[in-house]
């Protein structure tokens, strides 16, 4: 039930999220370069899951070092390789910085001890994530009215985390608390995380859902079908501006215009307190092929130009609440988030 | 250059819009039932084009009648068959009512004379549409700033009309007037009219464009890339509320929130003055397979439920201007549209 990522027999094993929901294929990754490629090509995606993958990749890289290697230089190389995989999700850098601190603290230890410590840290990041998500779920479930239809965008579920989910963690906790809810899942072009991954997860959980095209969300909000929106985040600035999957900004504006609460669920590791506002968050442009093709078949004219911004930033003024493992923050976020600054 | 629909050798010929842009296949339709099926299955789509197809279908049905047939009963049957194909576009009913009037006026004429008159009327509807679109284009081009990036949703182009387009007619007229513009085309799930049809048309016209996912439109509006949005319409109530392809409502709200003009281009035949407001416009739900599959391949879990509302209604308060062949209407529409009521 936790297929996202695990450490097994000295390898990182993850389900190939590009093939879901029609095929459940597990990949075994033997070195940090394969882990980096898996992050780049979205075998694994979702901010917390990217962080966990990077942590395992870091440990794996050091574990593969031979006695006599220039450890400091190799660690720099391993970290840099993983660091450059994707630019937006804060959790990637948070996890790598955490691994780096373990390395720095353990400098001078025998390589075998260092390897043990780094693997233990990656496993801790993995294990803690599920606990964090369960706490996010518990805090957030309170906000979901019994009988509600909940809108979500992209996949902030078990597949985007160690296994429980952030936004879907909230939905799941409300469902497990006995609330009769249902979910509208935006299909989330171009990668179709909603149609493929959120639908697959909700089906396994037994939560009733319907998949809708992204452009139907606004209309269904407007006609009164939606009582609350819950999404994840890839990076949150200290004023509450939140980067998340492209289309999140639109959902937030449409909720705002129709007086529907729009909430963001994310661990503290997603916050970037060094950024004053969301305009400073780097937005990844992904390969054109993701828009041009679906299932490998062209959907535009051969010579068509496309754009593929993978994320957007929702200004804090559209966000009703930010749900974290430490509780629920409300506007103004500059002050409500401040206590969680480490 | 006008492949949408034509009358040729006693048949209705149309390009199969389901196969574009990768294949250009023309279908020859021999009776009104085939024309009705072509409308239902979206071989041809777009409100004005549906009207033209229905008019030709009506004429074709009567042309196929044998001497001695119960003409009045047959005409009722032909009209009913075409009437029930799709519920939202006003132009369908407008065209059938216009054909019906020709039939009523010609009652008692020999069948051959009646057939001639009906075919002449359908051809007039076809021919007039292009003239109307050119006038819409001329009125609308003035609103497009030189150097603008224009956002459009779905396809309101030559393929949705007799050949020039409404929203794309406006873009085209601005381009032909020498304005340096470019277009962002929403791909428009589920049927991908933007990715497939608008891109194909703009490519043929030489107008620079980029295809974007529907959920990227809001973000690109917000970041200042878009100077104006132009869309078509399927039915407009007398207060200016406008039904159009699902997702149009969202584009309108996102333009409104970001102070970008949102305009609708449509012929007078799209107006339904009998309706006080857009809440009275019937919204078609299309088959689930359109959302569940792309190019015949499932994109959701096997047992996934989906929703597929094909249209939405944009409240008049979000519409900056409605561009018609008679000029540009501005709010309040109840009064600005009134002179065009026939």
């Amino acid at each position: 039930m936790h297929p996202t990522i695990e450490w097994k027999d000295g390898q990182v094993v993850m389900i190939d999220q590009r093939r879901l929901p029609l095929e459940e294929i597990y990949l075994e990754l033997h070195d940090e370069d394969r882990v980096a490629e898996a992050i780049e090509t979205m075998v694994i995606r979702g901010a917390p899951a990217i962080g966990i993958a990077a942590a395992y990749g870091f440990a794996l890289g050091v574990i593969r070092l031979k006695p006599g290697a220039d450890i400091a230089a190799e660690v720099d190389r391993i970290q840099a390789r993983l660091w450059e995989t994707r630019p937006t999700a804060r959790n990637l850098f948070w996890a790598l910085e955490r691994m780096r601190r373990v390395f720095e603290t353990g400098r001078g230890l025998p390589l075998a001890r260092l390897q043990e410590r780094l693997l233990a840290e990656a496993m801790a990041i993995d294990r803690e994530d599920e606990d964090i998500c369960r706490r996010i779920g518990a805090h957030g479930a309170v906000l979901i009215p019994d009988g509600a239809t909940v809108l979500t965008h992209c996949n902030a579920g078990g597949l985007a985390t160690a296994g429980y989910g952030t936004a879907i963690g909230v939905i799941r906790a409300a469902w497990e608390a006995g609330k009769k809810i249902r979910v509208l899942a935006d299909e989330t072009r171009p990668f179709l995380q909603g149609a493929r991954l959120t639908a697959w997860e909700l089906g396994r959980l037994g939560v009733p859902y319907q998949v809708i095209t992204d452009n139907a969300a606004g209309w269904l909000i407007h006609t009164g079908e939606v009582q609350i929106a819950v999404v994840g985040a890839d990076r949150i600035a200290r004023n509450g501006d939140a980067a998340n999957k492209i289309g999140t900004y639109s959902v937030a504006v449409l909720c705002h215009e129709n007086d529907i609460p729009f909430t963001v669920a994310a661990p503290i590791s997603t916050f970037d307190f060094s950024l004053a506002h969301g305009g400073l968050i780097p937005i990844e442009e992904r390969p054109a092929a993701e828009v041009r093709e679906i299932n490998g078949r062209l959907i535009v004219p051969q010579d068509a130009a496309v754009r593929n911004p993978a994320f957007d930033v929702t200004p804090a003024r559209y966000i009703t609440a930010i749900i974290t493992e430490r509780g629920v923050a409300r506007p103004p976020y500059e002050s409500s988030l401040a206590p969680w600054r480490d």
Side-chain angles (χ1 to χ4, degrees), chain A:
Chain A
M1 194 63 190
H2 289 195
T4 314
I5 184 166
E6 66 176 325
W7 180 266
K8 198 173 171 185
D9 305 330
Q11 297 178 94
V12 179
V13 180
M14 52 179 81
I15 196 165
D16 189 342
Q17 300 196 23
R18 301 168 305 183
R19 313 282 284 269
L20 286 171
L22 302 182
E23 297 174 296
E24 301 184 14
I25 291 170
Y26 290 83
L27 302 185
E28 299 175 352
L29 309 176
H30 306 81
D31 61 37
E32 76 281 1
D33 197 53
R34 294 290 156 81
V35 174
E37 277 175 19
I39 296 171
E40 286 165 345
T41 59
M42 293 171 73
V43 168
I44 192 165
R45 26 61 54 199
I50 289 171
I52 297 164
Y56 278 129
F58 193 115
L60 189 57
V62 177
I63 285 168
R64 285 172 48 86
L65 294 181
K66 298 283 183 297
D70 180 345
I71 297 177
E74 289 295 315
V75 165
D76 283 351
R77 182 188 56 73
I78 292 163
Q79 182 177 338
R81 176 71 185 93
L82 292 160
W83 193 276
E84 284 154 18
T85 49
R86 298 194 67 192
T88 304
R90 170 63 195 149
N91 312 61
L92 171 67
F93 310 111
W94 169 86
L96 289 172
E97 285 165 1
R98 190 165 150 177
M99 295 299 287
R100 180 79 194 196
R101 280 197 298 276
V102 170
F103 167 70
E104 296 294 345
T105 310
R107 262 181 196 271
L109 286 176
L111 181 57
R113 280 290 289 137
L114 189 63
Q115 289 166 337
E116 268 170 37
R117 284 201 184 182
L118 287 168
L119 181 58
E121 188 72 4
M123 286 178 158
I125 288 172
D126 185 358
R127 198 175 51 247
E128 287 166 20
D129 182 79
E130 173 149 358
D131 181 56
I132 285 167
C133 284
R134 286 186 183 273
R135 281 187 277 157
I136 290 171
H139 288 301
V142 181
L143 306 180
I144 308 290
D146 195 10
T149 294
V150 184
L151 177 71
T152 192
H153 187 73
C154 195
N155 171 268
L159 290 166
T161 64
Y164 193 81
T166 52
I168 291 186
V170 169
I171 288 165
R172 185 172 171 170
W175 177 254
E176 287 166 358
K179 292 186 181 178
K180 295 274 169 285
I181 57 174
R182 70 180 189 107
V183 176
L184 289 178
D186 287 351
E187 67 175 9
T188 318
R189 279 278 291 146
F191 200 64
L192 296 167
Q193 290 94 334
R196 300 189 302 105
L197 309 179
T198 297
W200 184 76
E201 287 193 27
L202 292 174
R204 283 163 58 116
L205 294 169
V207 180
Y209 72 90
Q210 292 174 311
V211 174
I212 58 174
T213 58
D214 299 307
N215 59 20
W219 176 241
L220 295 174
I221 291 167
H222 183 64
T223 54
E225 277 209 32
V226 175
Q227 280 69 56
I228 186 169
V230 189
V231 301
D234 288 81
R235 196 188 297 215
I236 302 175
R238 68 168 180 262
N239 72 340
D241 291 352
N244 191 44
K245 183 51 52 196
I246 187 75
T248 303
Y249 163 77
S250 296
V251 171
V253 168
L254 289 154
C255 283
H256 178 79
E257 185 72 7
N258 290 283
D259 286 321
I260 300 295
F262 174 86
T263 63
V264 173
I268 303 288
S269 55
T270 300
F271 287 82
D272 188 342
F273 289 103
S274 75
L275 301 184
H277 61 83
L280 303 169
I281 300 173
I283 299 295
E284 179 180 14
E285 287 258 348
R286 301 268 316 159
E290 290 181 357
V291 173
R292 293 171 52 84
E293 298 169 13
I294 298 177
N295 288 330
R297 264 195 71 176
L298 202 62
I299 59 159
V300 294
Q302 198 72 48
D303 58 353
V306 307
R307 291 281 292 283
N308 188 14
F311 300 93
D312 59 28
V313 177
T314 299
R317 67 178 179 279
Y318 299 120
I319 303 175
T320 313
I322 301 178
I323 306 158
T324 77
E325 68 271 32
R326 297 207 208 164
V328 176
R330 301 276 186 176
Y333 294 108
E334 190 83 38
S335 50
S336 62
L337 298 178
W340 299 337
R341 200 162 168 168
D342 48 7

